[in-house]
Amino acid sequence: MIEDDLELAQIIVDYLASFDIEVTTTDSPYNGLAMLDVNKDYQLIILDLTLPEIDGLELIPKIREKSEIPIIISSARDDILDKVMGLERGADDYLPKPYNPRELQARIKTILKRVDIQSISKKDEPEKVFELKENDFQILFKGEHLNLTLAEYDILKLLIQRNHGVVSREDFIYTSDNIEDDSSLKNIDVMISRIRSKISKIDNTKQYIKSIRGIGYQLI
């Protein structure tokens, strides 16, 4: 648990202990990142947003560079934009403070159950073919560099981050700094076509980006 309210953190620790859930706490975001490197057995992160050193929303992508560990945001900030940004950057759930610890326990149980089911279903899945290198604004496909424009990079990055989820054309526009807000949805289709073409030069045996009629696209 990454939380700078030590009193709240202790309440959560004591409460979850009654459900045989062991919680390790830190009030330092960077210490939390380091703990992920040291201990690979953590199953979930409870993350505050208003933290010293770095904002929780900025911390989420750094966590995602290291791990796919589930993240529950626990925050007193009730701005809908914070919630949307947190979920888009990789958080799994958002729990506004104040809340009953019982609800937190229920959400932890639900997420861990879902993760267990997913891990079982993915045992026979092939290794991921896309590798995202956000620091270099690069994406590798089957180990080979894709020569993407910044807009194309943003589109493929969002598809990868949504983890096989469907992304609407509007989402591509609203989440990218490199696509004009007044860009037409048709322009998204054109850029998707270009990305497909670049992927097919490496592997043309299958279609990796699926069109979802009337909505958008999905990575398969």
Side-chain angles (χ1 to χ4, degrees), residues 12-22 105:
I12 297 301
V13 169
D14 293 341
Y15 182 82
L16 293 180
S18 65
F19 292 89
D20 294 323
I21 299 175
E22 182 180 350
Q105 183 272 334

Side-chain angles (χ1 to χ4, degrees), residues 84 88 151 154-155 158-159 162 166-189 191-192 212-218:
V84 171
E88 287 183 344
D154 285 347
I155 287 174
L158 186 56
L159 283 168
R162 290 293 175 87
V166 178
V167 183
S168 71
R169 293 175 175 83
E170 291 84 359
D171 278 350
F172 289 123
I173 295 174
Y174 297 150
T175 60
S176 172
D177 294 329
N178 299 293
I179 301 175
E180 296 296 332
D181 290 343
D182 59 354
S183 180
S184 70
L185 301 185
K186 185 65 177 177
N187 287 343
I188 299 298
D189 295 336
M191 285 186 277
I192 288 286
I212 307 299
R213 186 178 179 85
I215 302 176
Y217 294 93
Q218 177 185 28

Side-chain angles (χ1 to χ4, degrees), residues 72-76 93-97 99-101 103-105 107:
I72 296 179
I73 294 175
S74 163
S75 177
D93 202 349
Y94 192 105
L95 192 57
K97 298 175 182 175
Y99 55 81
N100 189 312
E103 181 178 1
L104 174 62
Q105 183 272 334
R107 295 195 185 203

Side-chain angles (χ1 to χ4, degrees), residues 7-203:
E7 182 178 354
L8 172 63
Q10 191 59 52
I11 291 173
I12 297 301
V13 169
D14 293 341
Y15 182 82
L16 293 180
S18 65
F19 292 89
D20 294 323
I21 299 175
E22 182 180 350
V23 182
T24 302
T25 67
T26 178
D27 60 357
S28 165
Y30 289 113
N31 186 46
L33 284 175
M35 290 164 66
L36 279 179
D37 291 328
V38 174
N39 190 337
K40 303 297 183 181
D41 294 329
Y42 291 123
Q43 294 180 286
L44 182 142
I45 293 176
I46 303 169
L47 175 66
D48 188 18
L49 292 186
T50 306
L51 295 166
E53 305 172 334
I54 182 175
D55 188 82
L57 289 176
E58 300 301 321
L59 185 63
I60 294 173
K62 295 182 182 297
I63 294 173
R64 283 289 166 255
E65 289 176 8
K66 295 175 177 288
S67 173
E68 290 300 315
I69 186 171
I71 300 171
I72 296 179
I73 294 175
S74 163
S75 177
R77 284 156 47 176
D78 58 359
D79 189 334
I80 186 62
L81 183 59
D82 284 332
K83 181 176 182 179
V84 171
M85 290 181 65
L87 296 174
E88 287 183 344
R89 293 185 180 192
D92 297 81
D93 202 349
Y94 192 105
L95 192 57
K97 298 175 182 175
Y99 55 81
N100 189 312
R102 182 69 179 82
E103 181 178 1
L104 174 62
Q105 183 272 334
R107 295 195 185 203
I108 291 173
K109 181 179 178 181
T110 298
I111 289 176
L112 292 182
K113 182 178 180 180
R114 186 182 73 228
V115 170
D116 285 342
I117 292 173
Q118 289 175 343
S119 65
I120 293 172
S121 65
K122 290 182 178 180
K123 279 184 178 179
D124 298 324
E125 286 188 4
E127 188 176 339
K128 289 183 178 180
V129 294
F130 291 97
E131 183 179 355
L132 184 61
K133 295 184 173 292
E134 293 190 71
N135 291 339
D136 301 322
F137 297 98
Q138 293 183 3
I139 296 175
L140 302 183
F141 173 68
K142 293 192 172 182
E144 295 190 35
H145 170 68
L146 288 172
N147 185 23
L148 304 170
T149 65
L150 288 176
E152 291 168 354
Y153 167 84
D154 285 347
I155 287 174
L156 187 52
K157 172 185 171 183
L158 186 56
L159 283 168
I160 294 170
Q161 290 177 330
R162 290 293 175 87
N163 193 26
H164 303 292
V166 178
V167 183
S168 71
R169 293 175 175 83
E170 291 84 359
D171 278 350
F172 289 123
I173 295 174
Y174 297 150
T175 60
S176 172
D177 294 329
N178 299 293
I179 301 175
E180 296 296 332
D181 290 343
D182 59 354
S183 180
S184 70
L185 301 185
K186 185 65 177 177
N187 287 343
I188 299 298
D189 295 336
V190 171
M191 285 186 277
I192 288 286
S193 178
R194 290 174 181 167
I195 296 170
R196 283 172 168 167
S197 177
K198 292 174 182 180
I199 290 173
S200 68
K201 290 179 181 179
I202 300 174
D203 180 5

